[in-house]
Amino acid sequence: MTKSELVYWVEALVPRSLVLFYRRKKRNYFWHRQQWYNRIALKRISKKKGSLNVAFLVNYASIWKYDSVFRMMQQDSMFHPFVLICPCVLQDEENKRQIIQDNIATFTKKGYEVYSLYNESTGKNISLSKYNIDILFYTRYYANETDKQYDVYH
C-alpha cells in the first residue's frame, strides 16, 4: 500500500473535522517549538553581549509604523533600540538636510534615541558598522531611495 492510498483510507475512515483538528494542533506545536528555540537563541546572544542593538532605519518619519514594537523593546532589558535617520538619495542637499532635521526633531520629541546617518559638515553618509547593529529593521526599503552601503544581506 502506497502513502497516497493510506492517506485516502485514513481520510475516508476518520471524520474530516478530526483530521483538521489534528493538522491545526500539529502546526501550532511546530510554531510554538520554533518560538521556544528563538527565545533560547536570543537569551544566549544577550548573555554574551549584555543587550542586543536593534536599529530602525528610517527615511521619513511620516511612514513610521513601529511605535509599539519600539516601546516594547525599550521596556525590555534584552534590547537596546535606536532610530537611524537615513538620507534619501533622490533629494537634493538642501531638502535632504531639512528632512533629516525634521525626522530627528520628531523622534526626539517621542523620546527615542536618534542618530543621523548623514554628516552635514562633510556631506557624506556614515557607515552602519559604526553602530554595531545586531538586528536591523527597515521602515520602507527601496533600493533606489537609499545608498548602496545600507543594503544588508544575510
Side-chain angles (χ1 to χ4, degrees), residues 16 39 43 54 56 86 100 128 151:
R16 180 81 177 143
R39 265 187 253 121
K43 285 180 183 176
V54 181
F56 292 83
C86 178
I100 289 172
L128 286 176
D151 295 344

Side-chain angles (χ1 to χ4, degrees), residues 16-109:
R16 180 81 177 143
S17 60
L18 192 58
V19 171
L20 292 176
F21 176 77
Y22 171 74
R23 286 182 186 164
R24 265 186 262 126
K25 286 296 183 187
K26 184 177 174 184
R27 186 175 53 235
N28 286 342
Y29 166 75
F30 287 119
W31 184 84
H32 286 292
R33 188 178 71 175
Q34 187 61 45
Q35 292 297 316
W36 183 75
Y37 284 134
N38 291 346
R39 265 187 253 121
I40 288 174
L42 280 175
K43 285 180 183 176
R44 284 184 189 155
I45 292 170
S46 65
K47 279 182 184 177
K48 289 180 184 176
K49 294 188 71 172
S51 67
L52 298 172
N53 292 326
V54 181
F56 292 83
L57 200 65
V58 179
N59 289 10
Y60 304 103
S62 60
I63 59 169
W64 174 257
K65 304 255 191 265
Y66 292 105
D67 254 345
S68 59
V69 175
F70 195 91
R71 294 283 183 204
M72 284 192 287
M73 286 186 174
Q74 274 183 326
Q75 293 170 358
D76 194 346
S77 63
M78 185 184 293
F79 301 104
H80 173 241
F82 53 92
V83 176
L84 295 175
I85 307 296
C86 178
C88 183
V89 180
L90 304 175
Q91 303 287 338
D92 61 341
E93 291 297 315
E94 185 179 321
N95 286 340
K96 188 186 295 187
R97 289 180 184 180
Q98 183 61 39
I99 290 170
I100 289 172
Q101 289 171 356
D102 291 344
N103 288 340
I104 289 173
T106 301
F107 288 112
T108 305
K109 200 179 294 182

Side-chain angles (χ1 to χ4, degrees), residues 13 58 61 75 88 95 98-99 110 127 134-135 143 149 152:
L13 296 174
V58 179
Q75 293 170 358
C88 183
N95 286 340
Q98 183 61 39
I99 290 170
K110 289 184 177 188
S127 174
D134 297 314
I135 301 172
Q149 70 179 344
V152 178

Side-chain angles (χ1 to χ4, degrees), residues 102-120:
D102 291 344
N103 288 340
I104 289 173
T106 301
F107 288 112
T108 305
K109 200 179 294 182
K110 289 184 177 188
Y112 295 170
E113 188 176 341
V114 184
Y115 302 104
S116 175
L117 291 175
Y118 182 72
N119 189 343
E120 291 186 17

